[in-house]
Amino acid sequence: MAYFFPEASHTFNEYLLVPGYSSSSCIPENVSLDTPLVRFRKGEKPAITMHIPMISAIMQAVSGDRLAIALAKEGGVSFIYGSQTIEDEAKMVANVKRHKAGFVVSNSNIRPDQTLRDILALKEKTGHSTVAVTDDGSASGRLLGIVTSRDYRVSRMDGSEKVETFMTPLEKLITAPEGTTLKEANDIIWDHKLNSLPIITKDGRLSSFVFRKDYDQHKRNPLEMLDSQKRFVVGAGINTRDYAERVPALLQVGADVLCIDSSEGFSEWQQRTIAWIRENYGESVKVGAGNVVDREGFRFLAECGADFVKVGIGGGSICITRETKGIGRGQATALIDVCKARDEYFEETGIYVPVCSDGGIVHDHHISLALAMGADFVMLGRYFARFDESPSAKVNVGGTLMKEYWGEGSNRARNWQRYDLGGDKKLHFEEGVDSYVPYAGNLSDGVRLTLSKVRATMCNCGALSIPELQQKARLTLVSSVSIVEGGAHDVVLKTVNEKNG
């Protein structure tokens, strides 16, 4: 007869935190959100510690190079999606690693024989007003000039006018040679009242830009995730099929941490993948694994050598695994069970394997609940897909700005590496949907607002760090009636568009 778990399967919405004693030192500015990303031994420090407990999902609609840079600036880590060619994924990782603390690799580039119409289309696509004109239209081509919004007037120019006729040519630009330090570059910008400074290689090719606006942003980002060479930390997704080719390519361009992207991690396929990495690279390469939903799944991956373990099956907003296959477990229950197993494993072995809660995060307070239940960090898809920096298109749906968002198990993603069980490569049925999410502006503003709520909640619990929250947190199950009580009720809400006075 089948085994039946003794308790019901619960979600985050069914729990609340009960406040604890808060001392006068429990104020948000004193809260540290530092958290380990990879396994470590008792008494040692982890090889990678994040400054905020957030990583982005390994999804086409979420984790491109732009988002990876933006999240690293805030103190988190992005995992570039692996459902693309090895070459394309490696290129994205390389773009992040080249974006060296203030030196921006240009992603708005054009050839001199293109037109004003092309400039406007590029600006619409990237949102950038500074466009590099290179001989081949690439980010590393020979620099010929620059186009900014001051170089053209749409109302007085024909859309077919060639870029070379209105660009600011190279001889009129102030540039700096490759090897210029960030301080030197900023001094040049301020001395010459520039908005941007092109950095040029010895043979005249564009290396990067330094922007005036980034100076203030850099000062505003004390939590930046940087490696030993002052480059942004970035992760990358791999699968259990082409890892022998994909892993070396990603490591060669500087990927700091890998993660097996799979809907179900309690499998021989993941065991083989981790074993191959350990055989070829030892412990130097960090790789997360998952997903699992119980104690047995965690123990299996921890003993395989996973550097962190992801928890969650079917809880994502675009995931339909539960209704398609009847597989999964309520995210809160799964997380609590796995985190207990994590602590048991630590007691037995002295090895701490961080746990990532993946899926089921709908509201900001769910992050606080996940951390209190034992998660070291959370993986977010829908949350990050809403921002400017995600790779998906911004569209107007019924008068509301939205961003496209689709699951890796959807027909659009065609990601057989994630969902198949070792058979053929054909996608026989979908486990994800294609959808929209409300547009939410830039990542920095969104993340900082979310984490201000998390810090305030931790103070209510009398905790100034994530480990302290996990020790002090008190959680209570709530009824369906009390869930209603927790929101606005029995009042008539004022409309957003109500006019003043």
Side-chain angles (χ1 to χ4, degrees):
M1 183 176 176
Y3 174 80
F4 288 84
F5 285 85
E7 66 168 345
S9 189
H10 297 290
T11 68
F12 291 131
N13 255 357
E14 296 176 81
Y15 285 91
L16 285 174
L17 281 157
V18 176
Y21 171 74
S22 300
S23 69
S24 59
S25 65
C26 280
I27 56 176
E29 66 183 26
N30 289 340
V31 172
S32 168
L33 294 177
D34 283 4
T35 193
L37 177 59
V38 295
R39 71 160 60 200
F40 61 95
R41 292 186 176 276
K42 189 173 184 178
E44 298 178 354
K45 290 185 177 181
I48 305 175
T49 296
M50 295 192 297
H51 301 309
I52 64 172
M54 304 170 83
I55 64 175
S56 67
I58 312 169
M59 300 175 69
Q60 293 174 1
V62 180
S63 296
D65 45 9
R66 281 189 68 205
L67 190 128
I69 292 166
L71 184 53
K73 286 181 179 179
E74 298 303 316
V77 173
S78 212
F79 283 80
I80 302 295
Y81 64 90
S83 53
Q84 57 181 323
T85 66
I86 295 172
E87 294 74 21
D88 286 345
E89 186 180 11
K91 184 178 179 180
M92 282 192 175
V93 171
N95 286 343
V96 179
K97 299 308 287 188
R98 285 201 301 265
H99 193 115
K100 191 173 181 179
F103 293 88
V104 181
V105 176
S106 177
N107 70 345
S108 292
N109 310 289
I110 205 161
R111 298 189 313 275
D113 61 338
Q114 290 183 266
T115 65
L116 173 60
R117 193 175 292 111
D118 295 322
I119 287 282
L120 297 177
L122 187 59
K123 183 178 178 181
E124 177 69 21
K125 178 182 177 182
T126 65
H128 298 155
S129 58
T130 299
V131 178
V133 184
T134 60
D135 60 346
D136 59 1
S138 74
S140 58
R142 189 165 56 86
L143 185 66
L144 303 177
I146 285 179
V147 174
T148 71
S149 55
R150 293 177 299 181
D151 292 315
Y152 58 85
R153 293 185 68 176
V154 177
S155 60
R156 296 188 179 185
M157 294 171 63
D158 189 277
S160 61
E161 190 162 343
K162 300 291 187 183
V163 169
E164 60 192 356
T165 66
F166 59 86
M167 71 181 186
T168 301
L170 178 62
E171 56 266 23
K172 292 186 178 181
L173 295 175
I174 294 174
T175 64
E178 195 172 35
T180 300
T181 67
L182 186 58
K183 183 182 184 305
E184 291 169 341
N186 281 316
D187 286 343
I188 294 171
I189 286 173
W190 288 99
D191 290 344
H192 295 275
K193 300 180 180 180
L194 305 175
N195 287 322
S196 64
L197 177 69
I199 307 298
I200 310 298
T201 65
K202 289 181 179 179
D203 57 355
R205 294 185 174 275
L206 179 63
S207 173
S208 59
F209 276 100
V210 177
F211 292 97
R212 174 188 288 263
K213 62 181 176 61
D214 286 345
Y215 176 81
D216 292 332
Q217 290 181 3
H218 186 64
K219 295 297 182 183
R220 288 177 56 228
N221 297 322
L223 300 179
E224 283 182 330
M225 285 293 294
L226 303 176
D227 65 16
S228 59
Q229 300 178 51
K230 303 292 185 184
R231 302 175 303 178
F232 289 123
V233 172
V234 62
I238 61 173
N239 60 70
T240 57
R241 281 186 178 274
D242 64 10
Y243 52 84
E245 296 78 36
R246 191 173 293 265
V247 169
L250 295 173
L251 295 177
Q252 185 175 11
V253 293
D256 297 280
V257 57
L258 308 174
C259 184
I260 303 172
D261 183 30
S262 172
S263 62
E264 207 282 294
F266 197 177
S267 72
E268 183 180 346
W269 306 107
Q270 297 219 4
Q271 184 180 41
R272 288 183 184 180
T273 304
I274 297 171
W276 184 89
I277 290 173
R278 294 291 173 248
E279 181 181 343
N280 287 275
Y281 298 97
E283 300 295 324
S284 64
V285 171
K286 307 303 178 185
V287 56
N291 287 23
V292 297
V293 293
D294 61 5
R295 178 182 183 278
E296 288 74 16
F298 172 84
R299 295 285 303 208
F300 172 77
L301 290 178
E303 289 167 2
C304 285
D307 284 292
F308 65 85
V309 173
K310 290 199 295 152
V311 178
I313 294 176
S317 58
I318 41 69
C319 185
I320 54 173
T321 295
R322 294 181 191 176
E323 57 186 271
T324 302
K325 295 164 64 177
I327 292 289
R329 196 178 190 188
Q331 187 65 15
T333 300
L335 182 61
I336 292 167
D337 194 11
V338 168
C339 288
K340 286 180 180 176
R342 185 264 321 276
D343 293 343
E344 292 172 2
Y345 188 79
F346 183 52
E347 286 294 319
E348 293 174 19
T349 66
I351 299 172
Y352 188 91
V353 181
V355 167
C356 169
S357 181
D358 177 18
I361 303 289
V362 179
H363 305 293
D364 289 344
H365 75 270
H366 289 170
I367 298 176
S368 302
L369 288 168
L371 297 174
M373 290 172 181
D376 296 281
F377 50 92
V378 296
M379 175 174 270
L380 303 166
R382 180 198 62 85
Y383 178 90
F384 286 120
R386 305 172 303 149
F387 296 128
D388 284 317
E389 294 86 354
S390 74
S392 64
K394 190 193 307 179
V395 294
N396 189 312
V397 180
T400 301
L401 280 178
M402 311 286 277
K403 292 273 284 187
E404 291 183 302
Y405 181 46
W406 60 94
E408 290 297 284
S410 68
N411 189 59
R412 181 170 180 174
R414 302 295 301 180
N415 192 2
W416 54 266
Q417 292 102 327
R418 176 180 172 90
Y419 286 89
D420 85 306
L421 296 176
D424 65 54
K425 301 179 181 181
K426 184 178 179 181
L427 183 69
H428 294 286
F429 57 88
E430 291 184 290
E431 293 185 51
V433 299
D434 202 339
S435 64
Y436 299 107
V437 289
Y439 168 65
N442 68 74
L443 180 145
S444 178
D445 289 344
V447 166
R448 292 184 186 202
L449 176 60
T450 294
L451 294 180
S452 70
K453 298 176 186 178
V454 172
R455 290 186 177 96
T457 300
M458 291 172 63
C459 289
N460 290 144
C461 297
L464 293 176
S465 68
I466 293 172
E468 190 177 9
L469 173 67
Q470 293 164 352
Q471 293 169 5
K472 292 185 175 180
R474 298 184 298 160
L475 294 121
T476 180
L477 273 168
V478 295
S479 68
S480 58
V481 178
S482 64
I483 292 174
V484 175
E485 179 188 59
H489 61 90
D490 300 313
V491 294
V492 178
L493 296 177
K494 294 181 178 180
T495 61
V496 175
N497 297 320
E498 185 176 6
K499 295 181 179 179
N500 294 327

